[in-house]
Every structure is written in structure tokens, then in C-alpha cells.
Amino acid sequence: MSDPTPRIKICGTTSIQDAVHAAQAGADALGFIFAPISKRRVSAAVAREAGLGVGPTVARVGVFLDQNLDEVLRLSEAARVSAVQLHGPLSGGFVRAVADFYPVLRVLRPADLAAEGPLWQAVPGVTLMLDAPQPGGGVPLDWDRLQDTFPPGTWLAGGLGPWNVAGAIRVLRPAGVDAVSHLEARPGVKDPAKVADFIAAVRGASA
Ligand SMILES: O=C(O)c1ccccc1N[C@@H]1O[C@H](COP(=O)(O)O)[C@@H](O)[C@H]1O
């Protein structure tokens, strides 16, 4: 029997048009980046409107890096996201405080996996995601090196695109995949064909 298809998150959504296209193409989740350093930063107002445009079954994920708890909760509420993705070095208390309000994707780098992975692996409401050290940098991880330590139920990000995502799925069997850089026409603007090809490649890998 084949493995279940990983959940598909299309990140860096900055417009209603891109949100609707990704949803129609079959995305399970859309990412809205609120990190000030990002070239894909979006306002809570646009994220909220885009989220309202994609129907009831598509998750809307607020993405944060190096932001304090007040800001994370305030922007998440304003954007009406359904989940929160947390990058960067964070205390366990911080992650738990966000998880009191939203399902959390806790993003770790491979170097942090041994120390932090076991903390979150069995915690309800917190899902691990493994990403490259520079979020949104488009650089893939070394999947073969991770094969023995990749925890079941973990999501995968980092340099995924239509041409390589099936390989990543075969090696690591992630519960979800997340991508942005290689799905764009330019930073913050999706290439609809790349988004559709990415989703087709994920589904094809699990067929
Ligand atoms: O993309 C960004 O600008 C970004 C900024 C701050 C935090 C996260 C960001 N993106 C996340 O990066 C990974 C994968 O990106 P890529 O496919 O390698 O470009 C993904 O989790 C995005 O949500």
C-alpha cells in the first residue's frame, strides 16, 4: 500500500489571486509571512482577505521569525489564521504559549533536531517542520543524511520545487511539504504553473 500524500503548504502568499490559485490547484495550506525581514512579508489585512477567499478547508498559516509573543498573537488574530509557524531560537514556554491559541508548526534546523525534536514530537498541537538554516532561501537539505533521524509526522521545507519534491518524499516520507522560493515568478509573486506542477509532483510521488 502507498503512503498517504503529504499535506501541501504553499508559503509566501501575498495576494488574493495567488491564494485562490493555490487553493484551486489543491494546496492544503497557505503560508502568510509576517516576519519583517522577509521579502514576502504581507499585511494582516491582505492575509485575512486572501484567507476568506479560499473556502473552509484550506488552512491559513501565519509565519513568524524573531517576533515577540504579543506580536505573534496580535497579527494572528488580525489575519484570522488557523495555525502559526514559528522559526528561530525560541523557549519551550514561548512555543507552548502560542500553542494555547493555535496549532503550531515548530520549525527546526537539522542542527537543532537532536536537542529540540524530542521535546515536541509527542506534544498535541505542535508539529515539527525541518527547514534549512536560512528560511526562504531556496536551499535543499541533505535528505539522505537525515533519513535515519527524521521523526515520523514531521513536515519538510527547504529548497523544494516541482523537480525535486518527489525525491524528498521518497527519502524522508514527510507528513507535509512546504515551499516558496522555487514557486515564484519573483519574490512575493507566485508562478501559477510552478505551483500547479509542485502540487502534481507531490501527488504523483504518493500515487
Ligand atoms: O520565505 C521567507 O521569506 C521566510 C521568512 C521568514 C521565515 C520563513 C520564511 N519562509 C519559509 O521558508 C521555508 C522554505 O523556503 P524555501 O522553499 O526554501 O524558499 C518555508 O517554511 C517558508 O515558510
Side-chain angles (χ1 to χ4, degrees), residues 136-156:
V139 178
L141 295 170
D142 185 340
W143 309 317
D144 290 331
R145 272 187 80 169
L146 290 166
Q147 199 170 19
D148 293 337
T149 52
F150 193 79
T154 299
W155 288 40
L156 179 69

Side-chain angles (χ1 to χ4, degrees), residues 9 11 33 38 40 63 85 87 131 135-138 157-159 178-181:
K9 174 168 167 278
C11 203
I33 300 175
S38 178
R40 296 138 184 147
V63 179
Q85 178 173 324
H87 292 252
D131 188 15
D178 183 17
V180 55
S181 297

